[in-house]
Amino acid sequence: MIVVYRSSDLRSLLDACRAEGLRIGFVPTMGFLHEGHLSLVTRSLEETDRTVVSIFVNPTQFAEGEDLAQYPRDLRRDSELLEKAGIHYLFAPDVEEMYPDGPGRTTVNPGRIAEAGEGRFRPGHFAGVATVCTKLFAIVGQCRGYFGQKDAQQVAVVRQVTKDLDLPVEVVACETRREANGLALSSRNGFLDEEMRKAAGAIFNGLEAAAKLASEGETKPEALIAKVERAIGTEAGLKVQYVEVVDPETFEKVERVDAGALITTAVFAGSTRLIDNLEVPASS
Ligand code: AMP
């Protein structure tokens, strides 16, 4: 594994790979890696010839008052995990390398989708994601980009941006990895104590119960939403911020539940904000 700190160095290395006909797989992350991240890495290793993972805690995707300073970091442990996994390049730029003239000058605005769903509670978040992904894609060049469905709206934003800006990236969405009780793996789960981790299993239970309701023929979003709210609301320490049923491309709320819609939620477990989602299955 080669660790690269400079954008220009990574570009040269990957240009040389492509010149030899090798396919590049790219996994962008903010580090503090867990099995969810590693499942994207495994997929990239299986489907491409050279895998590059980036670790960059992107300041522009944290809204005012969010946990940028507290965001967990452990580059040494991450690079050991990635080396063991067998990746080829680790790109670990600092903020100065990514934003030499300071963050926020030229930005990518994904439009309406950025205001829906998570965007209502995280102003500027998706513009930050769109901007950093556009920059990373410009550095990495033609590749397959691996993203987790756990951050479903991020996947939709990145797909939209690559399409609208003709970026040479094929976006691949990968299934959410979960703990045994259903809690979606997240770098922020480290903030939860044992009791809270157990309680947070109710988030996925609620989503599953709502998906089951839909598979039995329920078409009213309110019925699904109530199901999730009830499952989560009964757990001490959990507080629902929102539950919605949305179109998977636009993240606009749907008026009627159909297969493929997403049930999305954000929940506070104490002071830790967790998000999750589940696709509505075809009715049985
Ligand atoms: P992050 O480091 O949180 O920015 O995440 C980097 C990538 O890993 C994103 O594409 C996430 O959607 C993905 N990811 C995070 N958690 C999971 C998970 N539990 N299962 C699968 N992918 C995940």
Side-chain angles (χ1 to χ4, degrees):
M1 182 178 83
I2 301 176
V3 185
V4 188
Y5 299 99
R6 301 247 169 262
S7 314
S8 53
D9 291 343
L10 185 67
R11 187 176 289 124
S12 310
L13 285 163
L14 298 180
D15 280 346
C17 291
R18 275 184 295 263
E20 287 179 47
L22 300 172
R23 294 163 303 177
I24 310 294
F26 175 38
V27 183
T29 81
M30 298 204 300
F32 213 70
L33 304 178
H34 51 65
E35 284 300 323
H37 297 113
L38 294 176
S39 70
L40 311 188
V41 167
T42 303
R43 182 112 181 245
S44 172
L45 287 167
E46 281 167 7
E47 295 180 355
T48 68
D49 303 306
R50 292 289 181 271
T51 290
V52 47
V53 175
S54 64
I55 294 184
F56 179 60
V57 181
N58 174 38
T60 68
Q61 71 189 70
F62 287 76
E64 198 84 32
E66 286 186 352
D67 58 351
L68 173 62
Q70 285 79 41
Y71 197 83
R73 295 163 165 89
D74 192 343
L75 187 57
R76 183 183 297 187
R77 177 177 164 276
D78 288 347
S79 55
E80 281 168 15
L81 284 172
L82 292 170
E83 173 122 55
K84 218 186 299 156
I87 72 153
H88 305 85
Y89 305 106
L90 166 57
F91 181 47
D94 60 16
V95 173
E96 176 65 26
E97 179 68 13
M98 288 299 281
Y99 299 107
D101 297 295
R105 193 163 66 174
T106 301
T107 59
V108 177
N109 176 359
R112 195 175 159 112
I113 189 173
E115 310 300 325
E118 279 289 282
R120 284 165 307 151
F121 300 96
R122 307 191 68 188
H125 171 66
F126 288 115
V129 167
T131 303
V132 80
C133 285
T134 302
K135 286 171 65 66
L136 289 167
F137 293 164
I139 296 163
V140 169
Q142 183 160 25
C143 65
R144 299 187 91 183
Y146 292 85
F147 289 83
Q149 188 61 22
K150 149 107 180 358
D151 301 287
Q153 195 170 357
Q154 172 168 280
V155 173
V157 166
V158 173
R159 275 194 206 285
Q160 182 197 297
V161 168
T162 53
K163 185 176 179 200
D164 292 352
L165 300 182
D166 301 298
L167 305 177
V169 177
E170 185 189 338
V171 176
V172 182
C174 305
E175 199 183 313
T176 303
R177 290 301 166 111
R178 300 177 180 282
E179 292 191 4
N181 71 350
L183 173 63
L185 298 183
S186 164
S187 305
R188 291 185 171 99
N189 290 358
F191 295 133
L192 307 177
D193 61 23
E194 200 46 46
E195 208 175 313
M196 205 57 106
R197 244 172 218 251
K198 263 199 208 146
I203 301 170
F204 186 57
N205 289 342
L207 291 172
E208 276 199 315
K212 180 160 177 287
L213 207 57
S215 76
E216 290 162 358
E218 179 60 69
T219 57
K220 288 197 281 303
E222 306 78 51
L224 272 57
I225 292 165
K227 195 85 180 169
V228 180
E229 285 178 342
R230 217 168 308 131
I232 300 172
T234 50
E235 285 294 331
L238 300 187
K239 195 161 178 298
V240 175
Q241 188 174 41
Y242 70 83
V243 182
E244 288 185 339
V245 185
V246 300
D247 177 284
E249 279 180 25
T250 63
F251 277 72
E252 300 290 336
K253 291 185 202 180
V254 298
E255 281 170 19
R256 196 198 121 93
V257 177
D258 286 306
L262 289 179
I263 314 164
T264 60
T265 185
V267 176
F268 279 99
S271 58
T272 304
R273 188 173 182 275
L274 304 173
I275 59 167
D276 204 347
N277 69 87
L278 195 61
E279 187 180 325
V280 170
S283 40
S284 49

